[in-house]
Structures are given as structure tokens and as C-alpha cells.
Amino acid sequence: AGAGSTLETRGIASAMRGGGAGFALAARGHAASTTARGISSTSKAMGQYIDDDDDDEDAEPKTKEELEEELNEKIEDSYRTAAHNIRNSPMKRKMSLYDDALTGATSVRPFLEEADVLGQEEDKEVPRELMARVIDVNRTNKVTKGGGLTSYTALVVVGNGDGICGFSTGKGKDIGVAIDKAYVRAIRSLVHIERFDKHTVYHPVTAKHCKTKIIMEPRAKGKGLMCNQVLQSICEMAGITNLMAKVIGSHHPHNTVRAAFEALESMQTPEAVAGRLDVHMYKI
């Protein structure tokens, strides 16, 4: 390549002095230098390709933690780039970038989808140990310049069917995500429900939450549940098979669930009453 460049330089100098043969000399020098550079670049590329193959063969597979760290770094870099572009763009372009960011059409989206895939693999490894019932799903829509942003709120009741149950709400951009969040939060707030002979409540109980009032009364074995669907789901999770309940006032699902749990938690067993009054059980 160096010889070709020298030959090309001499030919150009000769042509500038007026020699006709100088142009032919310059052309031969240019061709020689180009060919030499092509051979050199090809050999470098082949060498790099061979080195990369060797590195790939020697490299160990990356762990899940390393993949998550790389994803987080890529996401942070993409966010920095997007913020820099928004700050340094004209007003019209800035508004367009804002709209893309609100609708999710940014350079960060592929990395977020890859992170979601890793998260889904994690969720598949953890089975659900408690039963769950979805009581209510509410959809909300926020109107923005980039379009409507839809989110869902789910109310879930969980339990093992043997006196352990709980409830909670969860929010997400998808119904499945909202239900999963509500389930995880519900299993962190479990309570124990006392039952008479493991099938009904000990005594009539009453509870009120906001505009909702609930009255519960025990029933004999084999009578079943006489209540609405929300209370039936709660009784199934708590392991109550015989109950009569009445909802007075507002029938909103959230108020009904909260009032039902307040009523069940306020129930007192004979042992608790005897201990509180400091008397023997047979007097109760």
C-alpha cells in the first residue's frame, strides 16, 4: 500500500509538470494502493472474525443477573439519549418526541419488552399456593396529547378454604398484570377467620363500612349459603359453607368486601369471651 501511494504521488507530480505518461503512472499507483488496502482490510477482518470465534468458544454463558444488569444499563442509556434529544430539539420536534414517549414508541421499548420476558420467566417458576377469586375489575382511561392511557384495577380475594383468607387491590396496564399484583398483595395481608364446627359463624355479627352494612347469621349444616355472589366468594375462600347474610345500603364490591371482613374479624369465640370475662367455659 505504501509503494502504491508513492507511485501514485510521483505520477501526479509528473502529470502536473506536463508529462502525459504521468497520468498513467498515477492510475497504476492508485490501483496498486487500493488493492493493497483492500487486502489489508480483508486480512484484518478475517483475523478479527477468527478472534471473535475464539472468544465465543471460550466465553461462558451469562447468568440471569448479568443479563438483567446489561438490560438496565441499556435502558438507562436509552432514556438519557431520549431526554437529550427532547431537550435539544426544536419545539415541533420536541412535541413529537413527547408523544412518542407517552405512547411507548421510543428506543427503550425493545429493552423493556426483553425485561418483561425475563420477568415472565421468573413468574412461571412460582406457582400459586392459594385459591383466588376476582371480585371486580375497573377500567380507567386518561386522555393525553399522545392518546388515551388505559389502566385496570382488580379486586381479588384469596384463601385456602380452611379459615385463612385475605383481599387486596392491584393496578396495571393489563388485566392480567392487575390481577397478579392484587394476588401478591393479598397473600401478604392474610387473616384467620374463626368458624363454629368449621362450617359457619359462632353468632350473629354486624359491620358497616361507608354506606354499606352487612348482617351475618349462622345456619345449620346442609343449609348452604344464602347471600350475594361477593359474599359467596369470600365464604368459599374462608371455608364457610353455611351462612345467611344481608347487605343493606350500597352494594359496591369494594365496600362489601371490606364490611364482610370487618364482620368476620369481629367475631368472638367462647374461649375469647371466657378469657375476657375471667369465667369458666361452661358458664358461656
Side-chain angles (χ1 to χ4, degrees):
S5 300
T6 305
L7 186 62
E8 182 180 2
T9 304
R10 291 177 181 176
I12 293 173
S14 175
M16 291 178 64
R17 288 195 299 269
F23 290 104
L25 184 63
R28 290 198 301 272
H30 177 71
S33 62
T34 303
T35 304
R37 283 195 298 269
I39 294 172
S40 176
S41 62
T42 303
S43 61
K44 288 181 180 179
M46 290 298 294
Q48 185 178 2
Y49 178 74
I50 294 171
D51 294 340
D52 292 341
D53 288 346
D54 294 339
D55 294 339
D56 293 339
E57 291 177 358
D58 298 336
E60 297 180 356
K62 295 182 179 180
T63 61
K64 192 170 185 179
E65 289 75 11
E66 294 175 350
L67 292 175
E68 289 179 352
E69 290 180 0
E70 290 184 0
L71 275 176
N72 291 333
E73 292 177 358
K74 292 178 182 179
I75 291 172
E76 290 178 0
D77 293 340
S78 301
Y79 275 126
R80 292 194 193 97
T81 303
H84 177 75
N85 293 337
I86 290 175
R87 285 195 300 268
N88 299 329
S89 299
M91 183 55 66
K92 291 184 178 180
R93 176 61 178 166
K94 187 178 294 186
M95 296 303 296
S96 176
L97 292 175
Y98 273 131
D99 294 340
D100 292 343
L102 290 173
T103 56
T106 60
S107 58
V108 188
R109 188 170 185 177
F111 304 126
L112 295 178
E113 291 177 353
E114 191 173 350
D116 290 339
V117 171
L118 287 176
Q120 290 174 3
E121 292 177 355
E122 248 182 41
D123 295 339
K124 290 178 181 177
E125 297 175 358
V126 182
R128 292 187 175 182
E129 298 180 356
L130 298 177
M131 300 182 294
R133 294 289 184 274
V134 179
I135 303 299
D136 180 63
V137 176
N138 184 33
R139 182 176 68 90
T140 59
N141 190 9
K142 180 181 179 181
V143 180
T144 62
K145 294 182 179 179
L149 300 179
T150 304
S151 63
Y152 297 88
T153 303
L155 174 62
V156 175
V157 176
V158 301
N160 64 348
D162 192 19
I164 302 296
C165 63
F167 76 97
S168 185
T169 58
K171 295 182 180 180
K173 295 182 179 180
D174 187 36
I175 297 177
V177 176
I179 293 174
D180 291 340
K181 288 183 179 180
Y183 176 83
V184 172
R185 293 181 62 185
I187 61 178
R188 296 175 183 173
S189 59
L190 298 175
V191 295
H192 177 68
I193 304 300
E194 299 289 347
R195 297 169 297 159
F196 173 72
D197 203 10
K198 294 186 178 181
H199 74 93
T200 187
V201 296
Y202 276 94
H203 56 84
V205 290
T206 303
K208 183 178 180 181
H209 183 81
C210 295
K211 298 294 183 178
T212 302
K213 182 180 179 181
I214 291 182
I215 302 174
M216 295 184 179
E217 296 182 1
R219 299 189 79 185
K221 278 190 177 182
K223 294 294 185 178
L225 297 172
M226 184 183 293
C227 52
N228 61 13
Q229 294 182 354
V230 176
L231 295 179
Q232 284 181 4
S233 299
I234 296 174
C235 291
E236 289 177 5
M237 297 299 101
I240 298 174
T241 57
N242 302 283
L243 181 74
M244 182 175 65
K246 175 67 176 177
V247 179
I248 302 173
S250 173
H251 284 63
H252 193 278
H254 291 250
N255 292 344
T256 303
V257 170
R258 295 179 189 277
F261 271 86
E262 289 180 9
L264 293 174
E265 291 178 23
S266 65
M267 188 168 44
Q268 297 182 0
T269 62
E271 293 83 357
V273 175
R276 179 166 54 84
L277 300 178
D278 195 16
V279 296
H280 292 287
M281 276 287 298
Y282 72 90
K283 293 184 178 182
I284 303 298

